[in-house]
Amino acid sequence: MNTLLPTAIVGSLPKPSWLAQPETLWSPWKLRDGALVEGKQDALRSAVHEQHRHGIDIISDGEQTRQHFVTTFIEHLTGVDFKQRETVRIRDRYDASVPSVVGAVSRDKPVFVADATFLRGQTDQPIKWTLPGPMTMIDTLYDRHYKSRQALAWEFATILNEEAKELEAAGVDIIQFDEPAFNVFHEEVQDWGVATLERAAEGLRAETAVHICYGYGIKANNDWKATLGPEWRQYEKSFPLLRQSSIDIVSLECHHSHVPMDLIELIRGKKVMLGAIDVASETIETPEEVADTLRAALTFVGPDKLIPSTNCGMAPLPRNVAFEKLSALTAGADIVRAELTAQRS
């Protein structure tokens, strides 16, 4: 693995067409029972192969074994009823039918540990596994039981910590918590959001990351971003808190966004997983475009703490587009890596 500017993807890759409908978020599985188990493993194996082939250094599962980055975890918990559904406003952006919390939530058995063990067996490179963060979990449910967003978040944080410790034992090197809700509920982030995130990561020896983005490249997210003005300063609320937290890595969206690059200064000292690939466009970045984004970031983060990555997951993209974007990410990182090496020699 490259020790300087190691590349990674944030989360999802497109699923193969034989497993789920292409270019569709949260598409139903096309297989059932044992065939589905085998198909998920084949898709995960393929995702690892493509990351190797396109030069990615920190390998993930591409979320091939899950339909949804939040509800696939939740559906394995007790206390949540998927038949009692309600329509809620997701991150103050769009309406969705979600399951209900009807009793005390608990995790009776591991959720992703078998999949992570399978991933560990596919590569000798460092591996990263994503989990939903506590605040984003509660924003994707209707709560009939706790009647308190904070109380439910603390319960989920404890459950996530149990899962994260078992993922670490399975050989996961980086455990990432996805918290797009941090870009919306700023007062809650300050009051208890970062605290519950730290509870989810408590006691881990594996590196921990938090991914805060502006969402998949879907219409609801793109429409919301169009209302945010010429500068997107949402990170200004959470970054000072995260700088003081125990989280090791902060992931943020940069390329083709209106996030002022100097906001990275607010997390000085943390590792930065920098989004240098736009997931809301099928246009393939050139290596030089990626390199320009990385060079700009290096003003605010040391090269030993920069991880070139994607803005968000790439599940809705055509597979060939996603893989070409991985190649662009690698090529852009190679350019800057060579420049840094030349400066040191």
Side-chain angles (χ1 to χ4, degrees):
M1 186 191 83
N2 292 301
T3 56
L4 186 63
L5 307 187
T7 54
I9 60 172
V10 160
S12 63
L13 287 170
K15 294 181 176 67
S17 58
W18 44 260
L19 182 63
Q21 182 65 33
E23 301 173 40
T24 304
L25 274 181
W26 316 313
S27 174
W29 303 117
K30 292 184 176 182
L31 305 175
R32 294 289 181 270
D33 304 322
L36 177 58
V37 174
E38 184 178 282
K40 287 179 178 180
Q41 289 188 339
D42 286 344
L44 194 158
R45 189 183 291 109
S46 174
V48 172
H49 170 73
E50 294 295 347
Q51 289 172 82
H52 284 161
R53 191 164 72 91
H54 294 279
I56 300 301
D57 297 305
I58 300 168
I59 304 298
S60 83
D61 68 324
E63 299 185 6
Q64 298 297 292
T65 65
R66 60 190 102 174
Q67 277 185 305
H68 188 281
F69 80 108
V70 179
T71 55
T72 297
F73 185 79
I74 291 172
E75 69 186 15
H76 290 83
L77 307 180
T78 59
V80 182
D81 190 333
F82 274 71
K83 293 181 180 178
Q84 293 191 49
R85 304 186 73 87
E86 297 286 346
T87 298
V88 302
R89 194 77 175 166
I90 302 293
R91 293 192 284 285
D92 281 344
R93 220 172 298 167
Y94 56 92
D95 293 331
S97 173
V98 299
S100 298
V101 176
V102 296
V105 292
S106 64
R107 167 187 171 273
D108 293 340
K109 59 183 180 180
V111 179
F112 293 133
V113 174
D115 292 336
T117 301
F118 184 82
L119 172 63
R120 178 70 284 170
Q122 305 306 307
T123 181
D124 294 328
Q125 294 173 214
I127 62 173
K128 178 168 68 74
W129 198 271
T130 63
L131 292 171
M135 181 176 286
T136 299
M137 287 177 74
I138 64 171
D139 196 54
T140 318
L141 289 166
Y142 183 79
D143 178 16
R144 297 177 183 270
H145 179 73
Y146 292 89
K147 305 298 178 65
S148 163
R149 285 169 61 86
Q150 181 175 350
L152 182 55
W154 279 107
E155 293 285 356
F156 280 145
T158 298
I159 290 170
L160 287 164
N161 187 247
E162 295 170 356
E163 179 79 8
K165 286 180 176 177
E166 294 194 33
L167 289 169
E168 176 186 83
V172 174
D173 301 286
I174 301 172
I175 296 173
Q176 173 183 308
F177 298 95
D178 291 340
E179 282 288 25
F182 272 26
N183 263 350
V184 181
F185 306 110
H186 302 299
E187 289 186 7
E188 289 181 323
V189 171
Q190 180 172 351
D191 291 345
W192 49 263
V194 172
T196 57
L197 173 64
E198 288 190 290
R199 174 67 186 96
E202 187 177 297
L204 293 174
R205 295 181 302 279
E207 284 194 290
T208 56
V210 60
H211 169 57
I212 311 171
C213 68
Y214 289 80
Y216 280 116
I218 59 176
K219 185 177 186 303
N221 292 333
N222 293 337
D223 290 348
W224 173 62
K225 288 189 280 190
T227 71
L228 298 180
E231 283 196 344
W232 302 351
R233 307 197 68 90
Q234 284 72 20
Y235 292 132
E236 207 165 36
K237 305 289 187 179
S238 59
F239 277 9
L241 303 171
L242 290 168
R243 184 179 185 179
Q244 299 170 26
S245 76
S246 60
I247 302 300
D248 300 306
I249 304 166
V250 180
S251 165
L252 66 146
E253 178 173 326
C254 273
H255 185 62
H256 280 177
S257 79
H258 297 293
V259 174
M261 192 70 80
D262 61 4
L263 293 185
I264 299 173
E265 181 66 42
L266 299 176
I267 45 174
R268 175 77 69 172
K270 297 291 185 184
K271 288 187 178 180
V272 176
M273 193 155 66
L274 189 88
I277 294 292
D278 183 7
V279 301
S281 168
E282 294 186 17
T283 301
I284 311 300
E285 289 79 3
T286 66
E288 193 59 42
E289 284 178 314
V290 172
D292 284 343
T293 301
L294 300 180
R295 292 187 193 105
L298 285 169
T299 303
F300 306 102
V301 58
D304 59 323
K305 294 185 180 298
L306 182 61
I307 303 171
S309 186
T310 55
N311 280 352
C312 191
M314 296 195 285
L317 292 174
R319 290 184 91 203
N320 66 306
V321 170
F323 297 150
E324 288 185 50
K325 283 177 175 282
L326 295 187
S327 291
L329 178 65
T330 297
D334 282 343
I335 291 171
V336 179
R337 201 178 289 127
E339 292 170 352
L340 292 170
T341 301
Q343 291 170 13
R344 293 176 177 182
S345 61

